[in-house]
């Protein structure tokens, strides 16, 4: 874990972004597991799972962008 993530961030914006990043990563892992042959069953809607994976990836990118924006602003002050 990087030092940035091991400390409790002071900024609520950073904490919110980190929560989004973490929860989206867990959701992404869960959705991707649904595509594995062992977990795939006849009722698995691959199209829906694909949409969920895309949404999770988007949320991860959004959270990462927020963190970059916040830390860039903090470093420039």
């Amino acid at each position: 874990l990087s030092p940035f993530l091991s400390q409790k961030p002071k900024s609520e914006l950073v904490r919110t972004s980190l929560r989004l990043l973490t929860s989206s990563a867990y959701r992404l892992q869960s959705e991707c597991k649904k595509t594995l042959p062992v977990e795939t069953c006849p009722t698995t809607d691959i199209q829906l799972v694909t949409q969920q994976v895309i949404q999770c990836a988007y949320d991860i990118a959004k959270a990462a962008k927020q963190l970059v924006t916040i830390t860039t602003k903090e470093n420039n002050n």
Side-chain angles (χ1 to χ4, degrees):
L1 218 63
S2 78
F4 177 75
L5 296 177
S6 63
Q7 299 172 0
K8 185 171 182 175
K10 295 175 186 172
S11 166
E12 182 59 35
L13 288 173
V14 171
R15 287 194 298 271
T16 300
S17 296
L18 287 172
R19 279 193 295 272
L20 177 60
L21 187 60
T22 304
S23 65
S24 298
Y26 282 119
R27 280 184 43 229
L28 180 61
Q29 182 181 29
S30 174
E31 294 298 331
C32 287
K33 281 184 179 179
K34 293 177 186 177
T35 65
L36 297 174
V38 174
E39 295 200 18
T40 303
C41 63
T43 60
T44 301
D45 184 349
I46 296 299
Q47 193 168 21
L48 177 61
V49 171
T50 301
Q51 289 173 349
Q52 292 299 321
V53 167
I54 291 168
Q55 182 62 50
C56 292
Y58 172 82
D59 290 341
I60 289 169
K62 179 180 172 182
K65 181 180 178 190
Q66 288 173 349
L67 287 172
V68 168
T69 301
I70 292 164
T71 55
T72 301
K73 284 180 183 177
E74 286 177 357
N75 290 337
N76 288 337
N77 289 335

